């Protein structure tokens, strides 16, 4: 009996020690308790490489405020005024910061054995498995496309459950779930070209909607610029640039942020929310991509200024992605004039942003934000249209087969060559096959939890989602053999980055039109050395060899993110 009592005592002692560690370091499963109790189960108390851990921070008060509920630092209000939310300048690289010693620490697990994250994601992705995933992605596209052509063409979309076409509801033009709206007209794919031509010739119809989102009005520059430069006619690029500059001049004088909905007649902001998702996403994307394509300096100037404001007011969490303590970086929705938090949800469209950060070289921040969206995918097998990060639950439950997370996964793999992103792509492929494949294609998930479906396969599933998945696994694709000769539009179309597109006889006309500086309302123009992209956290120009086959994000931080979305 004595030995049994001894064994029982040791077991109880071990359980007690685990309980202490669980409470102190937050190493147990997250159950959302931080919303109600003054104990933090996040990683705010985790000791980082820079020194002792900081006290838990409350959502409605200063760090360590007693008596209030603890929660993510994303909830902490910003200080009003032009200095609100300013991040410290990027830390200077220290000795050997890009060498094996640095990455040995950052990657974690060295000398301690491989944890579950390293076992699952580290190491090479077998060529046979890559080929299998490539063929699965190709088969996914072929199955969807063949069924569209057989059952839906020439209508806009396919109803994959009932195997028929999906076109406009001409009896009810307000049915936006079915109708494509351009100039307040209900359109098919063919009708769209006619209506676009009419609008370019006669202007906006008088009975049309006067409100538009910033992304809708400000994302024409790439396509219209190409059209002008191919035709030698400045009209198309001129109207697109005028729209971009008009929106840019409406930004807040205090924060430099733009809202998400504007009245095009009055110039008043109808929607004052500033974020990275719906209503604003492609506006930022096309400022950078227009510069890449056309080489117009003012496009990069505007993008740099916008990115700086985004970092100052939208970015919350710890300063560095892969080091330090505190919550992981996240970009929240704020009021464009004050920079104050407006809500606690993010939408699935924001998942495009890590891919844009890759294009500007801010790969470290891209890794963290991508990991957050991937954690949500792992929890639900899809991305809910809106996810409430405070409640650890979806606000809007459907998933219409969007491509944004796949796009960022593809671009991060191209930048890092880390097999981790092939595993991510495989997870996405297998989830789509398991939960969305139906009789005649792939269906929208009506509810990401119960996996019920809607009878709709949107066109971007074929043009973007399947395309990025295929390219992710097709190592020998000609697109990957061309260096930097190709770029993707916001709709996933491949365009050639040719030198002749950087030549136009009307450049001076654009810079002088309106007589207003495109960047600073005060007239300041950055000097040439200021035109570098604002890179918030990347210290290295390339991914070191030591990191290529290890986790892109230190496993302790990956586990932290999984906890914060309720995955573990």
């Amino acid at each position: 009996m004595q030995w049994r009592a001894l064994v029982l005592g040791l077991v109880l002692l071990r359980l007690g020690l685990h309980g202490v560690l669980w409470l102190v370091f937050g190493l147990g499963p997250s159950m959302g308790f931080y919303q109600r109790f003054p104990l933090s189960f996040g990683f705010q108390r985790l000791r980082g490489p820079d020194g002792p851990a900081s006290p838990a921070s409350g959502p409605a008060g200063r760090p360590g405020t007693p008596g209030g509920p603890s929660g993510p630092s994303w909830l902490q209000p910003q200080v009003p005024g032009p200095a609100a939310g300013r991040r410290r300048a990027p830390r200077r690289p220290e000795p050997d910061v890009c060498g094996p010693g640095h990455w040995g620490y950052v990657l974690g697990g060295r000398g301690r054995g491989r944890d579950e994250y390293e076992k699952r994601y580290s190491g090479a992705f077998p060529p046979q498995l890559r080929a299998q995933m490539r063929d699965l992605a190709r088969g996914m596209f072929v199955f969807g496309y063949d069924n569209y052509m057989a059952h839906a063409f020439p209508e806009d979309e396919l109803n994959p459950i009932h195997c028929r076409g999906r076109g406009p509801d001409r009896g009810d033009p307000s049915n936006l779930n079915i109708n494509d709206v351009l100039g307040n007209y209900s359109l098919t794919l063919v009708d769209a070209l006619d209506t676009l031509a009419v609008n370019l010739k006669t202007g906006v119809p008088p009975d049309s909607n006067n409100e538009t989102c910033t992304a809708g009005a400000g994302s024409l520059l790439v396509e219209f610029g190409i059209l002008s430069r191919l035709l030698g006619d400045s009209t198309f690029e001129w109207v697109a640039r005028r729209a971009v500059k008009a929106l840019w001049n409406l930004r807040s004088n205090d924060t430099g942020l733009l809202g998400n909905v504007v009245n095009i007649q009055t110039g008043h902001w109808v929607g004052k929310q500033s974020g990275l998702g719906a209503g604003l996403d492609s506006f930022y994307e096309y400022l950078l991509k227009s510069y890449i394509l056309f080489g117009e300096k003012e496009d990069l100037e505007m993008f740099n200024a916008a990115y700086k404001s985004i970092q100052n007011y939208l970015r919350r969490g710890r300063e560095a992605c892969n080091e330090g303590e505190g919550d992981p970086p996240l970009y929240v929705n704020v009021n464009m004039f004050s920079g104050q938090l407006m809500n606690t949800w993010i939408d699935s469209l924001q998942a495009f942003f890590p891919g844009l950060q890759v294009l500007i070289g801010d790969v470290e921040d891209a890794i963290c934000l991508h990991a957050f969206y991937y954690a949500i995918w792992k929890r639900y097998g899809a991305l809910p249209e809106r996810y409430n990060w405070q409640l650890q639950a979806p606000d809007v439950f459907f998933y219409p087969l969007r491509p944004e997370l796949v796009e960022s996964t593809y671009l991060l793999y191209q930048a890092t060559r880390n097999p981790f992103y092939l595993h991510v792509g495989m997870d996405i492929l297998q989830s789509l096959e398991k939960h969305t494949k139906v009789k005649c294609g792939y269906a929208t998930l009506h509810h990401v939890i119960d996996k019920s479906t809607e009878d709709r396969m949107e066109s971007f599933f074929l043009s973007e989602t399947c395309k990025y998945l295929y390219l992710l696994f097709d190592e020998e694709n000609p697109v990957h053999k061309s260096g930097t000769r190709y770029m993707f539009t916001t709709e996933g179309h491949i365009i050639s980055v040719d030198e002749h597109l950087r030549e136009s006889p009307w450049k001076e006309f654009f810079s002088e039109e309106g007589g207003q500086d495109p960047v600073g309302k005060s007239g300041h123009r950055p000097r040439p050395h200021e035109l570098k992209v604002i890179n918030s956290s990347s210290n290295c120009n390339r991914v070191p060899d030591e990191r290529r086959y290890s986790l892109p994000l230190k496993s302790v931080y990956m586990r932290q993110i999984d906890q914060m979305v309720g995955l573990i």
Side-chain angles (χ1 to χ4, degrees):
M1 296 297 295
Q2 290 182 344
W3 67 268
R4 290 181 180 177
L6 180 61
V7 170
L8 180 61
L10 290 174
V11 169
L12 291 175
L13 178 61
R14 183 171 182 179
L15 289 175
L17 289 174
H18 277 288
V20 172
L21 289 172
W22 193 84
L23 289 172
V24 174
F25 295 107
L27 298 180
S30 173
M31 293 180 285
F33 290 173
Y34 66 81
Q35 298 167 31
R36 297 181 293 275
F37 296 97
L39 289 175
S40 173
F41 292 91
F43 275 61
Q44 292 92 334
R45 297 173 181 166
L46 182 69
R47 178 179 296 272
D50 301 321
S54 60
S57 57
R62 295 180 180 85
T65 301
S70 283
S73 61
W74 310 322
L75 282 165
Q76 294 178 7
Q78 302 285 2
V79 180
R86 297 297 170 91
R87 293 173 60 197
R88 297 192 296 273
R91 63 183 67 190
R92 292 181 178 275
E94 299 184 9
D96 197 35
V97 75
C98 292
H102 170 74
W103 292 115
Y105 173 80
V106 166
L107 293 174
R110 302 289 188 188
R112 301 195 313 268
R114 286 152 52 93
D115 65 10
E116 68 272 21
Y117 291 92
E118 292 171 320
K119 290 177 182 177
R120 179 177 179 185
Y121 297 113
S122 296
F125 198 87
Q128 299 87 347
L129 185 58
R130 181 199 291 267
Q132 181 183 345
M133 292 300 104
R134 179 199 62 203
D135 293 343
L136 181 60
R138 181 196 287 122
M140 181 178 287
F141 173 84
V142 170
F143 182 68
Y145 181 77
D146 285 352
N147 275 286
Y148 167 77
M149 294 301 295
H151 302 292
F153 180 82
E155 296 198 76
D156 291 3
E157 297 170 357
L158 169 68
N159 286 349
I161 297 176
H162 289 96
C163 304
R164 59 175 179 243
R166 183 186 185 93
D169 182 357
R170 299 185 185 278
D172 182 11
S174 66
N175 185 358
L176 302 186
N177 187 46
I178 294 180
N179 296 323
D180 294 321
V181 178
L182 179 62
N184 220 25
Y185 288 95
S186 299
L187 308 172
T188 65
L189 291 174
V190 177
D191 292 336
L193 299 177
D194 296 337
T195 305
L196 178 60
V198 170
N199 283 347
L200 287 176
K201 183 177 180 180
T202 64
V204 179
D207 60 344
S208 64
N209 194 333
N210 290 325
E211 297 176 3
T212 186
C213 68
T214 305
S219 301
L220 301 172
L221 193 49
V222 167
E223 288 83 359
F224 276 33
I226 292 174
L227 188 59
S228 277
R229 291 167 192 247
L230 291 178
L231 296 177
D233 182 349
S234 66
T235 303
F236 308 102
E237 185 172 347
W238 178 75
V239 296
R241 286 193 177 277
R242 186 171 66 171
V244 170
K245 291 179 182 179
L247 290 168
W248 185 249
N249 289 329
L250 293 175
R251 72 197 187 280
S252 167
N253 288 319
D254 294 325
T255 66
L257 298 172
L258 295 89
N260 58 344
V261 180
V262 66
N263 186 304
I264 61 174
Q265 301 296 341
T266 65
H268 293 154
W269 289 106
V270 179
K272 300 177 179 62
Q273 176 175 298
S274 190
L276 299 178
L280 278 157
D281 48 359
S282 56
F283 176 80
Y284 300 125
E285 177 185 3
Y286 266 27
L287 289 179
L288 180 61
K289 289 186 175 180
S290 294
Y291 171 73
I292 293 172
L293 196 59
F294 306 128
E296 297 288 352
K297 185 172 64 174
E298 67 178 10
D299 296 334
L300 182 60
E301 293 172 356
M302 287 188 285
F303 177 82
N304 278 339
Y307 195 71
K308 182 177 181 180
S309 293
I310 289 169
Q311 296 298 313
N312 286 341
Y313 294 97
L314 273 63
R315 189 186 187 278
R316 305 291 172 90
R318 62 176 174 266
E319 180 180 353
C321 168
N322 234 343
E323 57 183 292
E325 70 269 2
D327 295 314
L330 186 73
Y331 293 83
V332 300
N333 299 319
V334 302
N335 182 286
M336 64 172 289
F337 295 110
S338 66
Q340 297 299 298
L341 187 71
M342 287 192 70
N343 49 60
T344 59
W345 54 259
I346 51 178
D347 65 50
S348 63
L349 290 169
Q350 185 183 319
F352 94 98
F353 197 66
L356 189 65
Q357 291 182 304
V358 167
L359 295 184
I360 63 174
D362 199 353
V363 177
E364 291 298 331
D365 231 39
I367 286 171
C368 254
L369 186 57
H370 175 274
F372 189 82
Y373 275 93
Y374 175 48
I376 299 173
W377 183 283
K378 285 190 294 183
R379 180 175 179 185
Y380 299 107
L383 276 187
E385 190 72 353
R386 283 185 185 175
Y387 177 80
N388 192 308
W389 44 262
Q390 183 184 18
L391 301 178
Q392 296 184 352
D395 272 355
V396 179
F397 289 85
F398 71 89
Y399 169 64
L401 310 175
R402 290 199 186 278
E404 283 75 19
L405 178 61
V406 184
E407 176 186 7
S408 290
T409 302
Y410 165 69
L411 291 172
L412 272 166
Y413 177 70
Q414 290 300 312
T416 66
R417 314 303 292 179
N418 193 310
F420 170 82
Y421 296 105
L422 299 178
H423 287 280
V424 175
M426 182 170 66
D427 278 356
I428 294 173
L429 258 175
Q430 292 173 340
S431 294
L432 291 172
E433 280 289 313
K434 180 179 179 181
H435 300 305
T436 71
K437 190 172 185 179
V438 292
K439 181 179 178 181
C440 294
Y442 294 84
T444 291
L445 282 183
H446 175 73
H447 200 291
V448 296
I449 296 178
D450 64 24
K451 302 300 186 294
S452 56
T453 56
E454 291 184 20
D455 196 9
R456 184 174 193 180
M457 186 180 80
E458 299 220 37
S459 59
F460 53 66
F461 173 70
L462 295 178
S463 65
E464 297 183 73
T465 308
C466 291
K467 180 185 298 178
Y468 288 124
L469 282 170
Y470 178 76
L471 289 174
L472 175 64
F473 295 106
D474 188 26
E475 190 76 15
E476 301 303 316
N477 195 280
V479 171
H480 303 145
K481 301 296 184 181
S482 60
T484 57
R485 284 187 53 200
Y486 296 102
M487 185 179 75
F488 293 92
T489 70
T490 191
E491 302 299 339
H493 303 304
I494 299 177
I495 53 178
S496 178
V497 182
D498 290 333
E499 186 63 33
H500 73 271
L501 290 176
R502 294 189 165 220
E503 300 172 0
S504 68
W506 51 80
K507 283 188 177 182
E508 293 300 321
F509 170 71
F510 285 151
S511 61
E512 295 173 2
E513 192 273 331
Q516 181 139 24
D517 186 272
V519 175
K521 294 183 180 181
S522 62
H524 168 71
R525 294 183 66 86
R527 295 181 292 275
H529 72 273
E530 293 177 304
L531 293 178
K532 61 184 179 180
V533 172
I534 307 299
N535 189 335
S536 64
S537 60
S538 178
N539 291 328
C540 303
N541 293 323
R542 68 178 183 87
V543 177
D545 293 336
E546 293 83 3
R547 193 178 183 187
R548 183 147 296 166
Y549 293 105
S550 300
L551 291 174
L553 184 62
K554 192 178 178 184
S555 60
V556 66
Y557 294 131
M558 195 169 291
R559 184 178 296 106
Q560 175 195 25
I561 291 174
D562 284 352
Q563 285 183 272
M564 298 191 82
V565 302
L567 184 62
I568 56 176

